[in-house]
Every structure is written in C-alpha cells, then in structure tokens.
Amino acid sequence: MDPVPEDCWITFHGSGNRFMMCGSVLYAAEPEIVRAYSRGGKLLFEQETTLEDPVLKACGSNVLAYDPGKTALYCLNENTRRDVEVPAGILAASPGPDGRFAVCTTGSGYYSMVLEYPADGSDPIRSGFVDCCVADLLYLNDGRLLMSCVSPDGDWSLRLSGEVIPLDSLLILDMAPWRDGFSVWTDEGILFFDEHGQITGTMPGEGIDWACGDGAALLMYDDGGFRLRIAGDNGSFSDTERLPRRPLKLTVCEDYVCLLDRQCLLIYDEKGALRGNYPFGSGASEILTWANSLLLIGPERLLSHWIS
C-alpha cells in the first residue's frame, strides 16, 4: 500500500494548474497532459491530450477533462481512458456516478443541446432546448441530471427530471450535491433543496467563493476584510471573526469548513468557532477533500492532514 504520512510534506513529481480529487486518486491537469497520482504521490498513469487550459469535473470514480468551447472531451478513471469528440463544442460537462456523462453543446434550431452519454461512450440521448440556454450541468448522487438555465429575457431556472424550478432574477453561480438533494450558489446567497426540488433553507450573503459538502460556507468581503458565513442546523448560520489574512482556497471536510491562506490552514466548526490553526499554508496553492482528511498541494509536494 502506498504510504500517506500525516502532516508531513512528501515529494510529488509532477505539476499542474488544475487539480481534482476523485476517490483515492489525485488528478493534475496542465496543457496537453493529465496525470493521476495516489495520495502518497505515486504516479499511476498519464494521458496525453490536446487540451490547452483544461477544466476537471469529478463524480464517483470518474473524471472529465475538457477545454470550454473546444471539441475534445477526455473520460478518465483508474481502469479506462477514452476521448469523445463533440463537434459543436463543449459548453459544460458533468460526469455521473455510474460512469455516464452529459455534455451541453449547441444545436441547429436550439439555444442549447444536451447530450447524455452511456458509460460506454456510445451514441448519446439528445435533448434540445428552444426556450433557454443551459449554463451548467450536475449529476446528483441519485443519478438524476440537474441543469441551470437562463431564458432569453435573463431569468434563471433549474431543471430536474423534466420539472422547471424558477429562480427569476437570481444569478446562478454554481451547484453542488447537498445531503439527499442539492444546493445552489447565487449572487444573493446559497439555496438548499431537497431531492424533490423544494427549497428547505437559505443562507443569504454576497459571497466571493463558496464550498459545499456535508457542510456549506460562503466567503464574504466585509468592511475591509474577509469572514466566513457557515450553515448550521434548521436554517441557521454563523459568521466567523474577521479572517487574519487574505484567503486563498476554501473547502468543506465532514462538518468542518477549511480555509487555506498564505501562512496557515484554518479549520472552523459549524458555529464559526476556530478549531484548528496549522502552519501548512506556506507554499501551498490548493486544498482538496478526501474522506475525513485534507490534501494540501504545493509545487511538487503534497501534505495530508486528517480532520478526525
């Protein structure tokens, strides 16, 4: 078994400008290549690509890599690697939990065309949209495809299992699975939905970044400084004290919100209380979640930190 020392930097022979944790595999993408590593820094495989500035999307054990607007889509996991050509260009893409994946592209006579590919990458199911543009795609944990859409008049909505959920003037910035349902980051805060698409809670705030997993948080700029707003139980939320330094990256691990700045890793609980302050930040540029641990990434080195 590849050893993963805790709280100790280990050599990481590789580079990348995009990182994604998928299962127990770390993917690093850079122009013309995607590499996969174990959490101990061992190179598992590398895939040559035609990508220039790739986006990585992960779900289950599967990763998609693509350049927005380009035609090449790479589907990767530990066992198989293949590429798919999307002639009209890739606007957005999402892998599913069972190996299938969806791509948003353009189509003659439609504002958007969504292609849903089976796990073997064979001919997709095509859905054209004449009343909206599909902005983003997300497979939920139960395998359903969630879409964010904007009408020609600028009204935003969600589409799930054929149902339209209007959000009107709210601007959708991102989406993520949330417990049995999903959450949506908008320009006015976070909305929480159950599996039926019904709103179960909100957390207001004009955030500049967010993180969502077992918990959820907004990073906000407030009166000359930064602070976190963290979701609690039953629609409650708490604000942290002003952050000591400019934040770099934000993630959620179990019930904790984890923030990387230029000097330290800061860990907050759901009440906004600081529970950990670790001097791991210097030299780290990325923070990812894996199970109940964090993976910090710096130039050619990795550090694992267990939360519990």
Side-chain angles (χ1 to χ4, degrees):
M1 180 177 292
D2 192 23
V4 184
E6 180 181 358
D7 294 353
C8 179
W9 288 101
I10 60 174
T11 301
F12 166 56
H13 293 293
S15 60
N17 51 23
R18 297 286 189 277
F19 297 94
M20 179 68 66
M21 201 73 199
C22 186
S24 59
V25 178
L26 170 67
Y27 287 85
E30 59 183 283
E32 299 185 349
I33 198 161
V34 178
R35 295 184 178 92
Y37 298 89
S38 71
R39 292 178 63 250
K42 178 182 177 181
L43 179 65
L44 302 176
F45 68 83
E46 56 184 23
Q47 174 71 46
E48 293 185 356
T49 74
T50 61
L51 305 179
E52 298 175 359
D53 189 18
V55 170
L56 295 178
K57 296 287 187 69
C59 183
S61 61
N62 300 291
V63 166
L64 299 181
Y66 64 94
D67 279 331
K70 302 295 182 63
T71 62
L73 178 73
Y74 294 84
C75 312
L76 311 169
N77 61 39
E78 291 185 72
N79 302 312
T80 61
R81 293 172 287 282
R82 65 178 183 275
D83 59 277
V84 175
E85 188 75 9
V86 183
I90 303 162
L91 303 179
S94 176
D98 55 1
R100 69 184 125 157
F101 55 95
V103 178
C104 178
T105 185
T106 58
S108 178
Y110 301 100
Y111 284 117
S112 295
M113 176 76 71
V114 173
L115 312 177
E116 294 187 70
Y117 289 85
D120 61 7
S122 58
D123 290 343
I125 298 173
R126 301 171 182 267
S127 302
F129 295 83
V130 297
D131 58 345
C132 68
C133 292
V134 177
D136 203 1
L137 307 166
L138 175 70
Y139 275 104
L140 303 181
N141 294 330
D142 60 11
R144 292 180 298 163
L145 183 63
L146 176 68
M147 296 179 281
S148 67
C149 306
V150 60
S151 74
D153 296 329
D155 290 331
W156 285 81
S157 64
L158 301 167
R159 300 200 177 201
L160 180 65
S161 302
E163 296 294 324
V164 178
I165 306 169
L167 298 182
D168 301 326
S169 61
L170 292 178
L171 172 64
I172 298 175
L173 302 173
D174 202 2
M175 307 182 294
W178 167 259
R179 298 175 182 173
D180 293 330
F182 58 93
S183 61
V184 176
W185 178 28
T186 77
D187 58 335
E188 296 184 8
I190 301 177
L191 306 177
F192 301 100
F193 296 82
D194 64 17
E195 67 271 26
H196 305 296
Q198 300 296 315
I199 292 180
T200 60
T202 63
M203 187 166 71
E206 296 182 8
I208 59 175
D209 196 6
W210 83 315
C212 186
D214 293 331
L218 275 173
L219 174 63
M220 301 187 298
Y221 185 77
D222 177 34
D223 192 25
F226 299 89
R227 67 178 72 246
L228 293 172
R229 177 162 292 173
I230 300 173
D233 294 330
N234 303 317
S236 65
F237 59 86
S238 301
D239 290 350
T240 66
E241 298 291 333
R242 182 175 295 188
L243 302 178
R245 289 167 293 274
R246 184 178 183 87
L248 295 177
K249 298 290 183 178
L250 176 67
T251 192
V252 171
C253 185
E254 294 192 321
D255 295 328
Y256 296 96
V257 176
C258 308
L259 183 76
L260 180 68
D261 66 27
R262 295 188 183 279
Q263 295 184 24
C264 295
L265 169 67
L266 306 173
I267 298 177
Y268 295 88
D269 65 19
E270 63 178 11
K271 302 297 185 183
L274 182 64
R275 291 301 186 92
N277 187 334
Y278 304 94
F280 301 148
S282 179
S285 59
E286 186 65 75
I287 179 174
L288 302 174
T289 299
W290 181 80
N292 62 339
S293 66
L294 300 171
L295 189 67
L296 279 68
I297 304 172
E300 298 190 343
R301 60 181 192 161
L302 305 172
L303 182 146
S304 292
H305 177 68
W306 268 254
I307 295 292
S308 59

